[in-house]
Amino acid sequence: MDANLFRSLSFGLLSALTWGTGDFGGGMASRRAHAQAVVLWVSGIGLLLFLLLAQAFGEAPQGRDLPYALLGGASGALGLLAFYRALAQGEMGLAAPVAGVVGAALPVALGAFLEGWPGLFPALGMGLGLLAVWFVSRPEGRARPGNLGLALLAGLGFGGFYAFMDRVEGLFYPAAWAKLTAFLLVLPAALRARPWPGGREAPWVLLAGLGDAGGNLFFLLAAQAGRLDVAAVLSSFYPVFTVLLAWLVLKERLSRGRLTGVGLSLLAMALIALG
């Protein structure tokens, strides 16, 4: 296997693992605290971590990265806020796969526009992705129909983050600028939000912050090692880990239809990656 492809695959899957774990923590914290306050803390933790890493590794800021990082941070913040609200209002097994498929579709479409038609397998993957969204979006049990809109909005935000951050050349400073943008965007609303995370939510907020930062970092490494669409699709496997944690910790039950949707979403991502 080509060394760059191996690196892209490895970093992409690490991104999925850390993002999925962080999203579970964010969803748990948002069940007791306001989602905007949680996003503020998550952004602040990531900002501090990336600045420390930039200093530790001696990375120099590059001015050309700034606009892409700011746009990526804004898109990612909106997506994360919508995602946490969706997780707080319903079952994690519903919101996570929908956001994952939509978030993967946008950079794949951008890749087709900039780099040409992706091929047969990605096209089949897109079709299966739409079918997967239909399966997992059907309200069941205590899942609310409105969660689908939030999940779709989250996916668009994540897709925008993928597309903009793929344009940067640096690592820690672009990630820090993106987190600073998210922090400033959420700050006014978060200051008015109640309740804020307290002592009981602190471990979940810390898990969310570290997981989200890890997902950002590993995605950048995956994108810089290979193609944007491959990195985005692999990183979008995070719903697998979010759903797994929801099943293990919260004992959430997934119906046959929901499981079919999750399976189709994963197959869609795999087919897109084959392109």
Side-chain angles (χ1 to χ4, degrees), residues 42-192:
V42 168
S43 301
I45 291 171
L47 172 61
L48 178 60
L49 179 61
F50 288 133
L51 289 176
L52 290 175
L53 288 173
Q55 293 299 313
F57 285 88
E59 180 180 289
Q62 301 182 47
R64 69 169 303 275
D65 288 345
L66 182 59
Y68 297 114
L70 296 180
L71 291 171
S75 183
L78 295 175
L80 191 61
L81 180 57
F83 188 68
Y84 281 0
R85 289 182 66 87
L87 296 184
Q89 293 178 15
E91 295 179 2
M92 292 188 177
L94 170 65
V98 174
V101 171
V102 175
L106 182 59
V108 168
L110 181 62
F113 177 75
L114 296 177
E115 302 178 40
W117 178 248
L120 177 61
F121 285 122
L124 290 175
M126 292 295 294
L128 285 179
L130 294 175
L131 185 61
V133 170
W134 180 81
F135 271 107
V136 298
S137 64
R138 294 180 300 173
E140 297 181 24
R142 56 192 176 88
R144 303 176 185 177
N147 286 348
L148 175 61
L150 288 172
L152 289 173
L153 180 60
L156 291 174
F158 296 156
F161 171 83
Y162 293 145
F164 287 122
M165 296 304 289
D166 177 62
R167 308 299 298 174
V168 305
E169 296 180 357
L171 189 61
F172 300 121
Y173 272 112
W177 288 332
K179 287 302 172 190
L180 177 61
T181 305
F183 185 90
L184 294 177
L185 283 175
V186 177
L187 180 60
L191 291 176
R192 300 191 301 268

Side-chain angles (χ1 to χ4, degrees), residues 10 41 58 64 109 144 160 182 200-201 212-213 229 268:
S10 300
W41 276 100
R64 69 169 303 275
R144 303 176 185 177
R200 294 177 59 189
E201 292 77 50
D212 181 70
D229 49 5

